[in-house]
Amino acid sequence: MAEIEISKDLTDLSEGDLEGFFVGWPTKPSADAHLRQIKGSTLAILAREAGSRRVIGFVTALTDGVLFGYISALEVLPGYQGRGIGKQLVDAVLAELKQVYAIDLVCDPDVQPFYATSGLIPYHSMVARRREKIV
Ligand SMILES: CC(C)(COP(=O)(O)OP(=O)(O)OC[C@H]1O[C@@H](n2cnc3c(N)ncnc32)[C@H](O)[C@@H]1OP(=O)(O)O)[C@@H](O)C(=O)NCCC(=O)NCCS
């Protein structure tokens, strides 16, 4: 298996590097929307196989850099799950957010044990989901 590289380098990142994400979403964002989502985030960390441009996992976060940080998206492509890549991405984004007071994210209950391995705890939240905004 090729070595996995975790990097904040978005240089020359293109839509073609971002195929296969949003598994299970009833309405999938386009690759163009995904590229803009990554570039528009305060923090974006990518996982790639050494020597390959193809992104096999990513995490994004939004933060004010003072009190609050929000982990907005995390996904590892199905063929690469269960190899510790998701945990590496979460731990990398937590390290980037180490100065802020609150780190929040929204997830399904079945993923809570995964985030718990990085020290996060279950809490409660309020959300809005507007599927018609997905492009
Ligand atoms: C959730 C996700 C990012 C995990 O990535 P991954 O690379 O497969 O996870 P890792 O291999 O780093 O797992 C780290 C630890 O969490 C555990 N874990 C992983 N997924 C889990 C799950 N769904 N439920 C419980 N534990 C889980 C692993 O067993 C591992 O534990 P260990 O260190 O004791 O062996 C990945 O399954 C994924 O992309 N899922 C679809 C998208 C998604 O749900 N994203 C989160 C949105 S909030």
Side-chain angles (χ1 to χ4, degrees), residues 82-98:
R83 291 170 50 180
I85 299 168
K87 182 167 169 55
Q88 278 191 73
L89 290 168
V90 171
D91 290 346
V93 82
L94 291 177
E96 292 286 337
L97 294 170
K98 63 179 183 297

PDB file of all heavy atoms in Angstrom, residues 82-98:
ATOM      1  N   GLY A  82     -11.008   2.807   7.289  1.00  0.00           N
ATOM      2  CA  GLY A  82     -10.531   1.778   8.209  1.00  0.00           C
ATOM      3  C   GLY A  82      -9.025   1.648   8.270  1.00  0.00           C
ATOM      4  O   GLY A  82      -8.502   0.669   8.796  1.00  0.00           O
ATOM      5  N   ARG A  83      -8.315   2.653   7.741  1.00  0.00           N
ATOM      6  CA  ARG A  83      -6.838   2.627   7.731  1.00  0.00           C
ATOM      7  C   ARG A  83      -6.246   3.753   8.570  1.00  0.00           C
ATOM      8  O   ARG A  83      -5.065   4.045   8.467  1.00  0.00           O
ATOM      9  CB  ARG A  83      -6.319   2.735   6.294  1.00  0.00           C
ATOM     10  CG  ARG A  83      -6.617   1.502   5.459  1.00  0.00           C
ATOM     11  CD  ARG A  83      -6.319   1.689   3.986  1.00  0.00           C
ATOM     12  NE  ARG A  83      -4.996   2.242   3.714  1.00  0.00           N
ATOM     13  CZ  ARG A  83      -4.526   2.493   2.496  1.00  0.00           C
ATOM     14  NH1 ARG A  83      -5.277   2.221   1.436  1.00  0.00           N
ATOM     15  NH2 ARG A  83      -3.325   2.986   2.335  1.00  0.00           N
ATOM     16  N   GLY A  84      -7.102   4.408   9.372  1.00  0.00           N
ATOM     17  CA  GLY A  84      -6.605   5.474  10.241  1.00  0.00           C
ATOM     18  C   GLY A  84      -6.513   6.840   9.581  1.00  0.00           C
ATOM     19  O   GLY A  84      -6.042   7.798  10.194  1.00  0.00           O
ATOM     20  N   ILE A  85      -6.982   6.949   8.324  1.00  0.00           N
ATOM     21  CA  ILE A  85      -6.857   8.224   7.605  1.00  0.00           C
ATOM     22  C   ILE A  85      -7.825   9.263   8.184  1.00  0.00           C
ATOM     23  O   ILE A  85      -7.459  10.426   8.389  1.00  0.00           O
ATOM     24  CB  ILE A  85      -7.095   8.017   6.093  1.00  0.00           C
ATOM     25  CG1 ILE A  85      -6.039   7.062   5.540  1.00  0.00           C
ATOM     26  CG2 ILE A  85      -7.087   9.351   5.357  1.00  0.00           C
ATOM     27  CD1 ILE A  85      -6.328   6.545   4.137  1.00  0.00           C
ATOM     28  N   GLY A  86      -9.061   8.846   8.483  1.00  0.00           N
ATOM     29  CA  GLY A  86     -10.033   9.773   9.068  1.00  0.00           C
ATOM     30  C   GLY A  86      -9.531  10.337  10.390  1.00  0.00           C
ATOM     31  O   GLY A  86      -9.618  11.546  10.647  1.00  0.00           O
ATOM     32  N   LYS A  87      -8.977   9.479  11.209  1.00  0.00           N
ATOM     33  CA  LYS A  87      -8.457   9.941  12.508  1.00  0.00           C
ATOM     34  C   LYS A  87      -7.274  10.893  12.307  1.00  0.00           C
ATOM     35  O   LYS A  87      -7.167  11.904  12.999  1.00  0.00           O
ATOM     36  CB  LYS A  87      -8.063   8.757  13.389  1.00  0.00           C
ATOM     37  CG  LYS A  87      -7.566   9.197  14.765  1.00  0.00           C
ATOM     38  CD  LYS A  87      -7.472   8.054  15.737  1.00  0.00           C
ATOM     39  CE  LYS A  87      -6.726   8.477  17.006  1.00  0.00           C
ATOM     40  NZ  LYS A  87      -7.308   9.655  17.665  1.00  0.00           N
ATOM     41  N   GLN A  88      -6.415  10.595  11.362  1.00  0.00           N
ATOM     42  CA  GLN A  88      -5.291  11.514  11.074  1.00  0.00           C
ATOM     43  C   GLN A  88      -5.809  12.885  10.660  1.00  0.00           C
ATOM     44  O   GLN A  88      -5.267  13.918  11.062  1.00  0.00           O
ATOM     45  CB  GLN A  88      -4.439  10.953   9.934  1.00  0.00           C
ATOM     46  CG  GLN A  88      -3.433   9.912  10.338  1.00  0.00           C
ATOM     47  CD  GLN A  88      -2.483   9.645   9.156  1.00  0.00           C
ATOM     48  OE1 GLN A  88      -1.626  10.446   8.823  1.00  0.00           O
ATOM     49  NE2 GLN A  88      -2.684   8.512   8.520  1.00  0.00           N
ATOM     50  N   LEU A  89      -6.854  12.900   9.814  1.00  0.00           N
ATOM     51  CA  LEU A  89      -7.415  14.174   9.357  1.00  0.00           C
ATOM     52  C   LEU A  89      -8.030  14.944  10.521  1.00  0.00           C
ATOM     53  O   LEU A  89      -7.832  16.155  10.659  1.00  0.00           O
ATOM     54  CB  LEU A  89      -8.445  13.928   8.252  1.00  0.00           C
ATOM     55  CG  LEU A  89      -7.887  13.456   6.909  1.00  0.00           C
ATOM     56  CD1 LEU A  89      -9.006  12.980   6.004  1.00  0.00           C
ATOM     57  CD2 LEU A  89      -7.088  14.578   6.227  1.00  0.00           C
ATOM     58  N   VAL A  90      -8.800  14.239  11.361  1.00  0.00           N
ATOM     59  CA  VAL A  90      -9.423  14.918  12.509  1.00  0.00           C
ATOM     60  C   VAL A  90      -8.356  15.441  13.458  1.00  0.00           C
ATOM     61  O   VAL A  90      -8.411  16.597  13.904  1.00  0.00           O
ATOM     62  CB  VAL A  90     -10.397  13.968  13.251  1.00  0.00           C
ATOM     63  CG1 VAL A  90     -10.872  14.595  14.564  1.00  0.00           C
ATOM     64  CG2 VAL A  90     -11.588  13.654  12.368  1.00  0.00           C
ATOM     65  N   ASP A  91      -7.369  14.631  13.748  1.00  0.00           N
ATOM     66  CA  ASP A  91      -6.320  15.074  14.677  1.00  0.00           C
ATOM     67  C   ASP A  91      -5.525  16.245  14.094  1.00  0.00           C
ATOM     68  O   ASP A  91      -5.123  17.152  14.829  1.00  0.00           O
ATOM     69  CB  ASP A  91      -5.404  13.901  15.045  1.00  0.00           C
ATOM     70  CG  ASP A  91      -6.105  12.883  15.934  1.00  0.00           C
ATOM     71  OD1 ASP A  91      -7.181  13.200  16.464  1.00  0.00           O
ATOM     72  OD2 ASP A  91      -5.579  11.766  16.079  1.00  0.00           O
ATOM     73  N   ALA A  92      -5.349  16.250  12.779  1.00  0.00           N
ATOM     74  CA  ALA A  92      -4.633  17.364  12.139  1.00  0.00           C
ATOM     75  C   ALA A  92      -5.444  18.649  12.237  1.00  0.00           C
ATOM     76  O   ALA A  92      -4.893  19.720  12.513  1.00  0.00           O
ATOM     77  CB  ALA A  92      -4.331  17.022  10.678  1.00  0.00           C
ATOM     78  N   VAL A  93      -6.764  18.569  12.031  1.00  0.00           N
ATOM     79  CA  VAL A  93      -7.567  19.796  12.098  1.00  0.00           C
ATOM     80  C   VAL A  93      -7.705  20.256  13.554  1.00  0.00           C
ATOM     81  O   VAL A  93      -7.691  21.457  13.837  1.00  0.00           O
ATOM     82  CB  VAL A  93      -8.927  19.623  11.370  1.00  0.00           C
ATOM     83  CG1 VAL A  93      -9.969  18.940  12.216  1.00  0.00           C
ATOM     84  CG2 VAL A  93      -9.442  20.973  10.889  1.00  0.00           C
ATOM     85  N   LEU A  94      -7.779  19.320  14.483  1.00  0.00           N
ATOM     86  CA  LEU A  94      -7.808  19.707  15.908  1.00  0.00           C
ATOM     87  C   LEU A  94      -6.507  20.413  16.294  1.00  0.00           C
ATOM     88  O   LEU A  94      -6.519  21.380  17.064  1.00  0.00           O
ATOM     89  CB  LEU A  94      -8.040  18.485  16.797  1.00  0.00           C
ATOM     90  CG  LEU A  94      -9.424  17.843  16.720  1.00  0.00           C
ATOM     91  CD1 LEU A  94      -9.478  16.593  17.597  1.00  0.00           C
ATOM     92  CD2 LEU A  94     -10.515  18.826  17.130  1.00  0.00           C
ATOM     93  N   ALA A  95      -5.391  19.947  15.766  1.00  0.00           N
ATOM     94  CA  ALA A  95      -4.104  20.594  16.058  1.00  0.00           C
ATOM     95  C   ALA A  95      -4.091  22.010  15.499  1.00  0.00           C
ATOM     96  O   ALA A  95      -3.584  22.935  16.141  1.00  0.00           O
ATOM     97  CB  ALA A  95      -2.957  19.766  15.478  1.00  0.00           C
ATOM     98  N   GLU A  96      -4.687  22.201  14.305  1.00  0.00           N
ATOM     99  CA  GLU A  96      -4.741  23.547  13.718  1.00  0.00           C
ATOM    100  C   GLU A  96      -5.639  24.471  14.542  1.00  0.00           C
ATOM    101  O   GLU A  96      -5.459  25.684  14.535  1.00  0.00           O
ATOM    102  CB  GLU A  96      -5.286  23.462  12.282  1.00  0.00           C
ATOM    103  CG  GLU A  96      -4.355  22.763  11.319  1.00  0.00           C
ATOM    104  CD  GLU A  96      -3.141  23.617  10.940  1.00  0.00           C
ATOM    105  OE1 GLU A  96      -3.225  24.855  11.052  1.00  0.00           O
ATOM    106  OE2 GLU A  96      -2.115  23.032  10.553  1.00  0.00           O
ATOM    107  N   LEU A  97      -6.618  23.885  15.227  1.00  0.00           N
ATOM    108  CA  LEU A  97      -7.589  24.674  16.004  1.00  0.00           C
ATOM    109  C   LEU A  97      -7.229  24.704  17.492  1.00  0.00           C
ATOM    110  O   LEU A  97      -8.085  25.016  18.318  1.00  0.00           O
ATOM    111  CB  LEU A  97      -8.998  24.068  15.830  1.00  0.00           C
ATOM    112  CG  LEU A  97      -9.595  24.149  14.425  1.00  0.00           C
ATOM    113  CD1 LEU A  97     -10.873  23.294  14.343  1.00  0.00           C
ATOM    114  CD2 LEU A  97      -9.910  25.595  14.053  1.00  0.00           C
ATOM    115  N   LYS A  98      -5.990  24.403  17.817  1.00  0.00           N
ATOM    116  CA  LYS A  98      -5.657  24.187  19.235  1.00  0.00           C
ATOM    117  C   LYS A  98      -5.836  25.435  20.100  1.00  0.00           C
ATOM    118  O   LYS A  98      -6.002  25.310  21.308  1.00  0.00           O
ATOM    119  CB  LYS A  98      -4.232  23.649  19.385  1.00  0.00           C
ATOM    120  CG  LYS A  98      -3.133  24.571  18.916  1.00  0.00           C
ATOM    121  CD  LYS A  98      -1.782  23.898  19.170  1.00  0.00           C
ATOM    122  CE  LYS A  98      -0.623  24.779  18.789  1.00  0.00           C
ATOM    123  NZ  LYS A  98      -0.560  25.129  17.362  1.00  0.00           N
TER     124      LYS A  98
END
